[in-house]
Amino acid sequence: MKVYINGKFLNQRITGVQRVAKQYTDLLLKTEHNIEIIENKYQGLMAVFFEQIILPWKTKDGILINFCNTGPLIKTNQILFIHDAAFMASKSHSKLFRYYYRVLITLLLHRAKKVITVSDFSKDEIVKYFNFNVSKLAVIKNGMDFEDHIEQDIPDVRNKLSNFKKIVLTVSSMDPRKNLKYIAESWIASNPSEDSVLVIVGGKNKVFADDSVSIEHDNILFTGYVTDEELIAYYRSAHFYVSASEYEGFGLPIAESINFGCIPLLSDIPVHRELFGTYGYFFENDSKQLREVFANLPEYTMKKSAITESETWKSSVNTLIQVLRETNEI
């Protein structure tokens, strides 16, 4: 049977969810299976109309894979990826967004043939927040390798970092639950040396109720949104990666940073322990503890230097193909 991919991510700015969709799609297209991407070229309400009305008609002769949390309500022969339950657990999103997602996801969870999430923690959260048949829910963890290994030098990134010998990186949308302001304030309080810099990569998103982080310091670099090429250059240049997030479904930038040799410094939350327990150093989310971590960076060394075969995107895709076989769709 034909396998369709909801290609809405092709017309969206690439963040974590879209990157997951891209990694899966690129590898699925290299398999022998009959795969077709249905691109959604619209924005706003027209994009919603296309997904809800046009997409199910275009995919009526096959199964549809939705990698980006939403899909058409009138189609039952579909696989739905739900990456986390942040829209239920956190109040960082706007009230309108939370209400819309709560209604939409509740309906989709019950209509989809199979629901996939990216960690055991997210599975438990989905079960907790929704009256849901857990037998329809599977966990496929994201890969930790970065398929787009771009070798070219990026002069702009190199020039921005040329005066620094110790680089701490964080990659995130300006979501309040990511605690970027707390990271920046802790960094300043640690009295960083002149050759040290905290690099904050990420752009604003209108779905968040408050996404303002406005701190200026000689040893902090706010890049805004960057291209994949620039992001890889920052990963390659960094020595440490920090995440002080209060809530995650996975934490893809952490995985990517580990792949490029960064030492992860992570808030002590369940999903970080589950996925990166053998790689990371953990701290409680209070200003004093993170400040002390930053002040003692030379004490932290790489715990584990190589990802395993089961932590690759190839493994994730193989597991997804097995799910398709179990649903008799390929």
Side-chain angles (χ1 to χ4, degrees), residues 267-328:
S267 54
D268 197 355
I269 58 176
V271 73
H272 285 170
R273 286 283 184 179
E274 174 194 342
L275 299 170
F276 311 115
T278 58
Y279 293 96
Y281 294 90
F282 298 92
F283 57 86
E284 296 294 335
N285 261 344
D286 67 74
S287 57
K288 183 178 180 181
Q289 193 165 124
L290 182 53
R291 182 186 67 197
E292 291 175 352
V293 168
F294 284 148
N296 296 284
L297 287 178
E299 296 180 6
Y300 299 96
T301 57
M302 181 64 75
K303 286 184 176 181
K304 181 180 174 184
S305 59
I307 64 173
T308 64
E309 178 63 28
S310 64
E311 295 171 321
T312 64
W313 282 110
K314 181 179 178 181
S315 175
S316 301
V317 169
N318 288 339
T319 305
L320 176 57
I321 290 173
Q322 183 59 37
V323 169
L324 287 167
R325 290 196 178 107
E326 291 171 358
T327 56
N328 298 315

Side-chain angles (χ1 to χ4, degrees), residues 155-165 167 195 197 237:
D156 183 56
V157 174
R158 174 165 39 84
N159 292 337
K160 287 178 179 178
L161 301 178
S162 60
N163 294 327
F164 302 105
K165 296 181 180 179
I167 300 167
D195 63 352
V197 65
S237 301

Side-chain angles (χ1 to χ4, degrees), residues 35-47:
I35 310 265
E36 181 180 345
I37 307 173
I38 306 297
E39 186 174 357
N40 185 340
K41 298 181 180 181
Y42 301 100
Q43 298 286 343
L45 291 177
M46 278 302 299

Side-chain angles (χ1 to χ4, degrees), residues 235-254:
Y235 279 140
R236 285 202 175 115
S237 301
H239 306 100
F240 299 89
Y241 185 92
V242 61
S243 171
S245 182
E246 297 174 357
Y247 188 97
E248 292 289 342
F250 188 87
L252 188 61
I254 301 170

Side-chain angles (χ1 to χ4, degrees), residues 167-202:
I167 300 167
V168 180
L169 175 68
T170 190
V171 179
S172 171
S173 57
M174 298 299 169
D175 181 342
R177 67 185 164 93
K178 306 288 188 177
N179 279 328
L180 295 182
K181 185 176 181 181
Y182 159 60
I183 291 175
E185 290 175 343
S186 298
W187 175 254
I188 294 170
S190 72
N191 295 316
S193 59
E194 291 184 358
D195 63 352
S196 300
V197 65
L198 171 66
V199 180
I200 300 176
V201 173

Side-chain angles (χ1 to χ4, degrees), residues 48 52 70 95-105:
V48 175
Q52 295 301 321
T70 65
K95 289 183 179 179
L96 179 61
F97 180 87
R98 294 201 307 270
Y99 177 78
Y100 170 73
Y101 247 55
R102 183 169 65 248
V103 173
L104 180 62
I105 299 303

Side-chain angles (χ1 to χ4, degrees), residues 9 17-29 67 143 145-148 252 256 313 317:
F9 64 92
V17 170
Q18 290 77 21
R19 190 177 305 287
V20 170
K22 184 177 184 299
Q23 297 283 21
Y24 269 110
T25 300
D26 288 349
L27 289 177
L28 283 170
L29 290 174
F67 288 116
D145 52 326
F146 204 128
E147 285 295 313
D148 294 324
L252 188 61
E256 293 173 344
W313 282 110
V317 169

Side-chain angles (χ1 to χ4, degrees), residues 103-121:
V103 173
L104 180 62
I105 299 303
T106 299
L107 294 172
L108 284 170
L109 284 172
H110 292 283
R111 291 189 61 77
K113 177 174 284 189
K114 197 76 175 180
V115 178
I116 293 172
T117 192
V118 294
S119 65
D120 292 329
F121 172 77

